Amino acid sequence: MTPTVALRGLTKAYGRVTAVDGLDLTIQPGEVVALLGPNGAGKSTTIDMLLGLARPDTGTARLFGMPPAEAIAAGKVGALLQSGGLLPDLTVREIVELSAALYAGHRSVPDVLTRAGLTDVAGRRVAKLSGGQQQRVRFAMALVADPDLIVLDEPTTGLDVEARRSFWAAMREESGHGRTVLFATHYLEEADAFADRIVFVRAGRVVADGTAAQIKAQVSGRTIRATLPGADLNALAALPGVDEVESRGDAVLLTCRDSDAALRALVNSTPAYDIEVTAQGLEEAFVALTLEGAK
């Protein structure tokens, strides 16, 4: 099966700054993949090269086995990017119709406006829209070609909570039709909830690649939360299996490499109560795999 996305050995430098450093990534048809990493990790530069908006210094990018420009010209790719302006004097309907006219085959414009939540403002000029509404226009422009691959760079930036929920509901329906989705986001909960697969990028390289459960499993240890008024933090830090201790009012949080040993010692040596043990989450994995690794 020909991969939807095949990036091989991509590198890109701007002067002395290497934005992408030998990055490899393969995405198969129907996958929903989240691209995560700290600011400056190379996510947007990778997406630009994937879409043919930037030329790699070395390496290759192929979409459906074709150079990006050919796949895009064939209407197989839709993209919602952070950069790029909208024509302010056109109405919402006009700008989506203009986008549709670029393709021999496309989706119904009224259907796309409905899917993007723009029907009520279809006759409004783009210049009169809020930032969140303009982001929805970009989403409609990405959908109108009826693409097999949808690429989203920070798609919910500027959207309020309700709009973000509506956006991801629409994206779930799109992916349910077998479309491949690649999105970069700084909202970890979006990646955790929506992606089949998460790719962590640091300093232009892939440092982790797997399901959310697999990524979380790479971060060893668990967290014990307990109520313990007047806790002696030094004594808690000395308990077996404990790496870090944090106080939050009457509650304490113990980050543990061996939660079983720490839990036994906590119960036997302190009057702690309301004890909870949780596995490390995606946020802890993000810190461990990206931020700490960059030090």
Side-chain angles (χ1 to χ4, degrees):
M1 183 181 295
T2 302
T4 299
V5 175
L7 308 181
R8 298 288 181 268
L10 286 188
T11 65
K12 184 67 177 179
Y14 298 98
R16 296 182 178 181
V17 177
T18 300
V20 177
D21 187 10
L23 186 142
D24 294 313
L25 179 63
T26 300
I27 301 175
Q28 299 296 342
E31 284 193 292
V32 179
V33 179
L35 195 62
L36 299 182
N39 291 336
K43 303 186 300 295
S44 293
T45 301
T46 297
I47 287 176
D48 284 348
M49 289 189 286
L50 180 153
L51 294 173
L53 300 175
R55 180 176 297 178
D57 296 333
T58 62
T60 59
R62 292 291 183 269
L63 304 179
F64 307 96
M66 298 179 279
E70 291 184 18
I72 292 169
K76 299 180 75 65
V77 183
L80 189 164
L81 304 179
Q82 295 186 70
S83 58
L86 299 171
L87 298 173
D89 293 331
L90 295 184
T91 66
V92 171
R93 182 181 294 104
E94 288 170 341
I95 201 167
V96 177
E97 288 174 343
L98 179 62
S99 298
L102 299 174
Y103 304 99
H106 57 79
R107 294 173 67 168
S108 158
V109 170
D111 173 63
V112 169
L113 292 173
T114 299
R115 181 60 53 85
L118 292 168
T119 302
D120 292 343
V121 295
R124 188 177 303 175
R125 296 192 183 279
V126 170
K128 300 295 185 180
L129 301 178
S130 67
Q133 289 170 329
Q134 290 188 8
Q135 193 75 337
R136 293 187 189 186
V137 172
R138 294 185 180 95
F139 178 45
M141 294 168 68
L143 291 181
V144 76
D146 199 18
D148 296 312
L149 168 65
I150 301 176
V151 180
L152 310 164
D153 191 4
E154 302 289 355
T156 57
T157 298
L159 301 184
D160 59 27
V161 173
E162 182 178 353
R164 285 173 59 194
R165 289 176 180 170
S166 297
F167 173 85
W168 286 116
M171 286 308 308
R172 285 188 181 92
E173 189 166 343
E174 293 298 324
S175 64
H177 293 297
R179 303 185 200 278
T180 306
V181 179
L182 170 64
F183 67 97
T185 181
H186 64 275
Y187 293 115
L188 299 184
E189 69 274 16
E190 292 183 347
D192 201 359
F194 185 68
D196 303 323
R197 175 179 159 205
I198 295 173
V199 177
F200 274 96
V201 177
R202 184 186 73 232
R205 295 182 179 182
V206 174
V207 295
D209 184 348
T211 64
Q214 289 169 337
I215 296 293
K216 293 172 186 177
Q218 293 188 38
V219 182
S220 61
R222 294 174 180 268
T223 299
I224 298 175
R225 181 186 181 98
T227 301
L228 186 58
D232 182 340
L233 300 186
N234 290 329
L236 292 176
L239 294 179
V242 174
D243 288 329
E244 296 181 13
V245 177
E246 181 182 349
S247 175
R248 296 184 181 177
D250 286 341
V252 292
L253 272 71
L254 312 182
T255 302
C256 309
R257 61 185 177 277
D258 185 346
S259 59
D260 290 339
L263 183 59
R264 283 193 297 269
L266 181 69
V267 171
N268 292 330
S269 63
T270 76
Y273 59 97
D274 291 340
I275 300 173
E276 300 176 357
V277 182
T278 58
Q280 302 284 32
L282 195 59
E283 182 175 352
E284 289 80 11
F286 181 89
V287 172
L289 295 171
T290 60
L291 300 184
E292 290 181 357
K295 292 180 181 179

